[in-house]
Amino acid sequence: MRRNRWGALVLAAGLLASAPAFGAKDELVIGISQFPANWHPSIEAMAAKSYITDMARRPFTTYDADWKLVCLLCTDLPAEDKGTAVLETRPDGAKGFAVTYTIHPKAAWGDGTPVTTKDVLFTWEVGKHPQSGFSNFDLYSRDIVGITAKDDKTFTVHRHKPLCTYAEINDFNILPAHLERPVFETDPAAYRLRSKYETDTTNPGLWFGPYRIAAVEPGAHVVLEANPTWWGPKPPFKRVVVKAVENTAALEANLLAGQLDMIPGETGLPLDQVLAFEKRQGSRYNVVYKPGLFYEHIDVNLDNPVLRDVRVRKALLLAIDREAISKQLFAGRQPVAHNQVNPLDRVHSDDIAKYPYDPAAAAKLLDEAGWTRTGNGPRRNAKGETLTLEIMSTAGNRTRELTQQVLQAQWKQAGIEVRIANEPPRVFFGQTMRERRYKAMALFAWLSAPENIPRTTLHSTMIPTAANGWAGQNFTAFKDAEADKIMDDLETVCEPKASQALWTRLQQIYAEQLPALPLFFRADPHVLPKWVEGIVPTGHQYATTLWIENWKVKE
């Protein structure tokens, strides 16, 4: 990454040598447990990256802490009764909504260039390119069939269907055409590596939020400074420093040593660690536990010949005692997940298959699948091959590592040998998962929005491949024609009862096929300073930092 290395090092030395004291109110130092794998807003989804960049940019639309869709970069949500959402018939006879947005009139990039519809049109051009590698390339290549610009600030998005969520363009992350177009047009296939977000991250023209990224020390920290072109309320701090400490024990130690002011729940300390921390040090901080749409699970690689057999996948789930793990590690604050849809979500259904701890049932399924056992040793197939699998996760996350060890021990009791092979988060998410390099199982969490159709993670068209630039997030390679059709239908079936019937069936398929092994619905613990107010955890994938301009220093 090209940057002013010496300037970054000098600044870092000053920051680390004199961490802000309690009363230093012009700087906030935040500690997180992961460092972003890249900086492009639409390539490689990662909670740590979103948490940081949400201070430096804004989506057109998002869900707020009340789980309501709101405008951030636009001036008003489109609606049929306002005439800004109109059902149209295209020349080919297909129908879809024409949805009109207006960019905030004062919105400007950090170098002073106005944010305009030229940026909107360019972003769509990049997003729909088959080699751009956008995580949600479906939005650009399928959902949006056209964009017309009325003027520099007003544009109309033509949706491919009469979508129930026609006003929502949360993942349309606008790009600065004046900086990115030359890079993209030179070589679209190499764009994701040569984008200025990767080669010139501190360029002010990439950012347009309350803050802009001013310095980056890869793997260590990011410095954000107040953005002079920001049009909204004045941000509360002159500078925000985000330090990445991937070992969560060391992250806690940094907080207690005064090197950090806070650790956010989005990508901070695991729940069991904070429960113990609160007993010892809770009086010094505001500790907030926020249950939400955070799905801790194990992706299974369905290209693995062993895991391709659904009986093995069911046996893996039946052989582990998730209730006991929840009680012992998380004091019952993280309920067992039986599906990918959280009971907090309106579309959740309880009419699904469940897999309680049942070692006998697990053994029966493994026997049927041809993995038999003599005595207490490992199971073997007819060829004499041992039933051995590998599980990966993010190195340094104490709770995930402990969870892996418990699962490993319980699977061993069932005759399944499991090896643990963890990686730093930026490698695990930035390459291993993105390019589907994991061999068998991967433990991590999905964060989602309310009533989010899981198209990017479950639809068969969303499997990352070299041919599509590793776009999509269906890392398991799950393919099910009925599930595909349901997800397609859910986009346009808006009547509540009919929609719920589809949601129920989709959850039933998930429970029957188990493309992933559900573990828990996470409650994220936020360790916040007592001298800052206005930090409101959302309980979904959109971070608190999207509203950092509303944070306040207590007088």
Side-chain angles (χ1 to χ4, degrees):
M1 180 180 298
R2 181 158 56 87
R3 63 194 184 285
N4 185 337
R5 180 172 178 81
W6 288 111
L9 287 175
V10 171
L11 178 58
L15 290 171
L16 298 180
S18 56
F22 182 85
K25 301 184 186 304
D26 61 347
E27 180 175 271
L28 181 71
V29 183
I30 302 172
I32 61 176
S33 59
Q34 300 174 3
F35 194 86
N38 79 335
W39 293 105
H40 195 287
S42 291
I43 298 175
E44 298 175 19
M46 190 173 178
K49 177 174 68 175
S50 296
Y51 185 83
I52 296 170
T53 60
D54 281 353
M55 295 182 248
R57 53 182 298 112
R58 289 290 183 267
F60 279 103
T61 63
T62 193
Y63 285 96
D64 66 12
D66 295 323
W67 294 20
K68 294 179 180 178
L69 190 68
V70 295
C71 258
L72 291 187
L73 181 56
C74 48
T75 58
D76 195 26
L77 282 177
E80 291 181 84
D81 59 1
K82 299 175 184 175
T84 48
V86 179
L87 190 62
E88 63 179 0
T89 301
R90 297 192 293 275
D92 61 1
K95 293 184 177 181
F97 274 109
V99 191
T100 300
Y101 302 85
T102 298
I103 302 169
H104 193 286
K106 295 183 179 180
W109 299 98
D111 59 4
T113 304
V115 177
T116 71
T117 51
K118 294 183 180 67
D119 301 312
V120 173
L121 293 170
F122 170 69
T123 301
W124 181 51
E125 179 185 344
V126 177
K128 66 181 180 177
H129 194 282
Q131 293 180 301
S132 67
F134 274 34
S135 298
N136 190 0
F137 74 97
D138 220 35
L139 170 67
Y140 300 89
S141 63
R142 182 190 73 103
D143 291 359
I144 298 175
V145 297
I147 298 179
T148 54
K150 178 180 178 182
D151 53 41
D152 279 351
K153 290 292 185 177
T154 305
F155 63 98
T156 300
V157 176
H158 303 273
R159 309 301 295 259
H160 76 303
K161 290 180 180 180
L163 300 173
C164 305
T165 56
Y166 60 79
E168 180 182 316
I169 52 170
N170 300 3
D171 286 348
F172 194 98
N173 295 307
I174 195 168
L175 303 172
H178 67 293
L179 295 179
E180 290 288 89
R181 181 176 288 281
V183 181
F184 176 71
E185 291 181 344
T186 298
D187 186 355
Y191 170 68
R192 72 181 185 90
L193 299 176
R194 296 178 181 174
S195 162
K196 286 188 179 293
Y197 284 99
E198 313 311 327
T199 63
D200 193 18
T201 309
T202 60
N203 189 318
L206 298 173
W207 312 108
F208 61 94
Y211 293 91
R212 61 179 181 85
I213 293 179
V216 177
E217 188 63 29
H221 70 262
V222 180
V223 179
L224 299 101
E225 295 179 346
N227 178 11
T229 67
W230 168 243
W231 64 89
K234 182 180 178 180
F237 310 100
K238 292 180 180 179
R239 183 184 298 108
V240 177
V241 182
V242 182
K243 292 178 58 179
V245 183
E246 293 181 345
N247 182 290
T248 56
L251 180 61
E252 179 183 334
N254 270 252
L255 178 68
L256 292 175
Q259 297 295 312
L260 306 173
D261 294 313
M262 60 176 278
I263 299 177
E266 286 91 342
T267 175
L269 298 174
L271 179 62
D272 68 314
Q273 191 172 341
V274 175
L275 290 170
F277 172 86
E278 186 179 22
K279 292 178 181 178
R280 303 189 311 270
Q281 305 287 344
S283 61
R284 296 173 55 187
Y285 302 91
N286 289 330
V287 180
V288 179
Y289 299 93
K290 183 64 176 180
L293 306 181
F294 316 125
Y295 173 49
E296 196 81 11
H297 68 288
I298 299 171
D299 263 12
V300 292
N301 190 333
L302 297 179
D303 289 336
N304 183 305
V306 175
L307 294 172
R308 196 175 296 142
D309 190 330
V310 70
R311 294 172 296 186
V312 174
R313 303 199 296 274
K314 290 180 178 180
L316 284 166
L317 203 51
L318 288 164
I320 57 177
D321 193 346
R322 292 171 292 166
E323 290 285 357
I325 295 172
S326 177
K327 290 176 182 177
Q328 293 172 13
L329 294 187
F330 312 122
R333 285 181 180 263
Q334 291 197 163
V336 170
H338 298 290
N339 208 274
Q340 88 277 20
V341 180
N342 195 305
L344 296 173
D345 205 326
R346 184 186 65 82
V347 297
H348 169 78
S349 175
D350 204 43
D351 184 19
I352 58 171
K354 297 179 181 179
Y355 302 87
Y357 181 51
D358 191 338
K364 184 174 183 295
L365 284 171
L366 291 171
D367 286 343
E368 292 174 0
W371 296 100
T372 58
R373 189 180 196 185
T374 302
N376 295 321
R379 291 180 176 272
R380 301 179 185 274
N381 62 13
K383 297 179 181 180
E385 298 168 330
T386 301
L387 179 50
T388 303
L389 298 169
E390 181 179 274
I391 186 168
M392 304 186 72
S393 191
T394 50
N397 185 308
R398 191 173 73 179
T399 297
R400 283 193 178 138
E401 291 173 341
L402 181 57
T403 300
Q404 284 178 306
Q405 293 167 14
V406 174
L407 297 177
Q408 182 186 47
Q410 293 184 348
W411 280 326
K412 186 173 184 179
Q413 292 177 355
I416 306 167
E417 295 290 330
V418 175
R419 294 192 298 262
I420 296 172
N422 294 338
E423 295 178 331
R426 59 187 179 278
V427 178
F428 178 72
F429 291 116
Q431 186 173 71
T432 300
M433 296 308 299
R434 185 173 185 271
E435 298 181 4
R436 300 191 62 246
R437 295 188 181 190
Y438 72 110
K439 297 176 182 178
M441 299 186 289
L443 168 60
F444 64 102
W446 281 125
L447 283 64
S448 65
E451 301 179 39
N452 180 62
I453 300 171
R455 186 179 180 89
T456 62
T457 58
L458 291 180
H459 202 282
S460 64
T461 61
M462 301 298 285
I463 300 171
T465 65
N468 68 17
W470 305 109
Q473 296 172 311
N474 184 349
F475 301 139
T476 66
F478 177 63
K479 300 176 184 176
D480 186 277
E482 184 184 1
D484 281 355
K485 185 176 186 307
I486 290 173
M487 286 184 278
D488 292 342
D489 290 346
L490 275 171
E491 295 178 325
T492 56
V493 176
C494 308
E495 194 278 321
K497 288 186 178 179
S499 176
Q500 186 58 55
L502 292 173
W503 272 108
T504 297
R505 181 57 191 145
L506 181 61
Q507 291 167 73
Q508 290 172 342
I509 293 172
Y510 191 95
E512 292 162 5
Q513 296 295 322
L514 290 181
L517 307 182
L519 293 180
F520 312 104
F521 288 118
R522 216 169 68 194
D524 279 353
H526 299 254
V527 183
L528 309 175
K530 289 183 175 292
W531 53 276
V532 177
E533 59 185 4
I535 302 175
V536 183
T538 65
H540 52 64
Q541 73 181 77
Y542 301 110
T544 55
T545 47
L546 277 174
W547 295 272
I548 192 170
E549 65 270 28
N550 297 331
W551 298 6
K552 296 180 181 179
V553 175
K554 288 184 179 180
E555 298 298 333

